[in-house]
Amino acid sequence: MEVKDKIVIVTGAGSGIGAATAKHFAKYNATVIVSDIKKQKAQTVVEEITKEGGSAVAIEANVANFEDVEQLIAKTVDQFGRLDVIVNNAGIGPRNMAKTGEYTLEDWDSVIAVNQTGVFYCMKLALQQMMKQGGGNIVNIASLAGLKASLNNLSYSASKFAVVGMTKSAALEYATKNIRINAVCPGYTESALLEKLLSVRPDMDQMLKSVIPMKRYGQADEIAEAVVWLASDTTKFITGQTITLDGGTSL
């Protein structure tokens, strides 16, 4: 992976896919800004990276807060002089799974604020910095739920469809500016979101696996590998794409 010495921000990097992605970038000798709404979780990931000889710092940020994102980008540039890659991974699911007519306003507002508006904030400010420095790379974490219908999950599905659309629109806008923008769409992956779902509905475990041709969930490391690949100089002619990692579920 050609990401050596790149300055990389990963949001929501305190656990799950975000943590795995931060560790993978560090493994390939990038400098990683581990960002999370919970500073201690981010710091724990930093300690794991530095223990293995990698380079990382923790910056607390709530991506749903524009001022937090401004500070995240500013602190990164102040310390390292540039921003080569941002991985917009921070995301949440609804507290309650419900049909559209019964969906709560709280679940709509909170999920859209993080998963959609948060990605917009990060893209907007990262793009401004990347234009100043003459290039960069953005990888957004969407979802299979951003490509196919997802029952009783309106805000999450809407936000991830939006991420796919924002990825494609921005990629077209900045294709001549040495800025590439792509997305990955994980299927059912072992993560905090999946654990939360199965804790409420343990019976869904076998049902979910039954619709995955590979008959297993994805691993965070498998998603991270794809993210680092898209962010690397190996993929210089790829932009505006959504890479689906779902064990064949979309088939």
Side-chain angles (χ1 to χ4, degrees), residues 3 5-13 17-18 21-22 25 30-36 59-66 68-77 82-90 114 116-131 133 135-142 163 166-167 170 174 178-184 224 226-233 239 241:
V3 295
D5 298 328
K6 290 187 184 293
I7 306 302
V8 181
I9 291 175
V10 182
T11 67
I17 292 172
T21 299
F25 272 109
T31 295
V32 188
I33 293 82
V34 180
S35 181
D36 199 271
I59 298 180
E60 182 178 353
N62 174 5
V63 298
N65 184 300
F66 188 72
D68 275 19
V69 180
E70 284 184 309
Q71 287 299 309
L72 171 61
I73 303 294
K75 288 178 180 178
T76 298
V77 175
R82 66 184 195 276
L83 170 61
D84 298 311
V85 178
I86 186 167
V87 179
N88 293 315
N89 167 77
V114 175
Q116 182 172 336
T117 304
V119 170
F120 164 63
Y121 289 165
C122 289
M123 288 178 67
K124 173 182 173 63
L125 294 171
L127 284 165
Q128 291 176 2
Q129 173 58 32
M130 290 172 181
M131 284 292 289
Q133 66 192 33
N137 196 308
I138 296 174
V139 182
N140 294 323
I141 309 300
V163 169
M166 290 190 289
T167 297
Y174 291 89
N178 194 33
I179 299 172
R180 297 191 297 111
I181 305 164
N182 294 288
V184 297
V227 173
V228 176
W229 178 72
L230 282 172
S232 75
D233 291 338
T239 196
Q241 301 304 303

Side-chain angles (χ1 to χ4, degrees), residues 93-104 107-108 111 145 148-158 188 196-197 200-201 204 207:
R95 291 187 178 182
N96 304 290
M97 306 288 285
K99 292 181 180 179
T100 301
E102 287 75 50
Y103 216 79
T104 69
D107 276 334
W108 175 266
V111 173
K148 296 169 64 69
S150 182
L151 295 175
N152 305 321
N153 203 18
L154 188 72
S155 61
Y156 189 80
S157 183
Y188 298 111
K196 179 182 177 182
L197 172 62
V200 177
R201 291 282 306 279
M204 289 190 70
M207 186 275 285

Side-chain angles (χ1 to χ4, degrees), residues 2 7 9 16 38 50 77 79 85 108 111 132 183 187 204 206 214 226 250:
E2 297 180 29
I7 306 302
I9 291 175
K38 296 180 179 178
T50 55
V77 175
Q79 185 167 352
V85 178
W108 175 266
V111 173
K132 291 177 184 177
M204 289 190 70
Q206 289 304 312
M214 288 188 179
S250 55

Side-chain angles (χ1 to χ4, degrees), residues 223-243:
I223 312 304
E225 283 280 0
V227 173
V228 176
W229 178 72
L230 282 172
S232 75
D233 291 338
T234 308
T235 54
K236 287 182 178 179
F237 203 51
I238 298 177
T239 196
Q241 301 304 303
T242 55
I243 307 298

